[in-house]
Amino acid sequence: PRLARRGGLRLRPRFSLAAWRPHARRSSLFSLGSIAAIGYTQLPILLAGVLTGPGETGLFSAGFRLLLAFIGALAILWWPLMPVLTRERPGAPVFREVLGGSAALVLALSLPVALALALFPAEVLGALFGRAYVAGAPALAIGAWVLPLYALTGLLEQTSLALGGERMRAGVAW
């Protein structure tokens, strides 16, 4: 309390619109891109609900939820990249090494999972959700190949954001 009265302790920073304007602009573009990405990720299940009946939507949604779980796991792998990518120059060896190593890692994880889901979709759905969902196997076998693509686009997104490409990300997403 004594420091606060003397002005030696600030309880709240001063607000400066000029200082916040660039941050707000970048954040709003980032948010627009995120909203679009979430929408695109949910679009297949929404279309299934609109274009098919409840039974077909349920069959499709079992495999779709499984894919979303794997997508979430892949996303955790590229989140730690941002500090490294923003700290290093784009052409620097560390930048290339981290990005290349991350790409190899997400592909090493996503390609075998995609292959297993494409080759054994009925077995996976039956084991995880029960025999009633095995009829959704063809959709899972096709959708499985989204995993490596999503893994690579996540790396592209992190790189783009680290290099100040929020506008490009938002434009691609919309």
Side-chain angles (χ1 to χ4, degrees):
R2 183 184 265 173
L3 284 174
R5 281 187 295 228
R6 290 185 186 171
L9 176 68
R10 273 203 183 134
L11 299 178
R12 168 181 79 136
R14 290 192 184 128
F15 179 76
S16 166
L17 186 60
W20 276 91
R21 188 173 289 125
H23 175 71
R25 184 176 298 123
R26 288 183 72 185
S27 295
S28 64
L29 288 170
F30 176 83
S31 297
L32 284 174
S34 295
I35 290 167
I38 291 168
Y40 290 141
T41 303
Q42 299 299 324
L43 187 61
I45 195 67
L46 295 172
L47 286 174
V50 169
L51 300 174
T52 66
E56 294 85 2
T57 302
L59 291 173
F60 178 78
S61 68
F64 187 72
R65 285 184 178 264
L66 184 60
L67 293 176
L68 285 179
F70 282 119
I71 286 171
L74 289 170
I76 290 170
L77 295 175
W78 66 67
W79 288 339
L81 283 177
M82 185 63 78
V84 176
L85 296 178
T86 55
R87 188 175 50 240
E88 300 296 329
R89 261 184 22 260
V94 172
F95 188 96
R96 289 194 315 266
E97 180 183 334
V98 166
L99 195 56
S102 298
L105 176 63
V106 296
L107 286 175
L109 295 173
S110 63
L111 282 171
V113 170
L115 185 62
L117 292 175
L119 292 176
F120 307 107
E123 292 81 0
V124 171
L125 288 173
L128 293 177
F129 299 104
R131 299 294 309 158
Y133 289 91
V134 169
L140 179 58
I142 294 167
W145 295 107
V146 163
L147 295 176
L149 296 174
Y150 196 88
L152 291 176
T153 59
L155 292 175
L156 176 63
E157 174 186 36
Q158 292 299 306
T159 306
S160 174
L161 293 173
L163 299 175
E166 293 85 6
R167 185 175 301 281
M168 181 184 75
R169 178 190 186 249
V172 168
W174 286 103

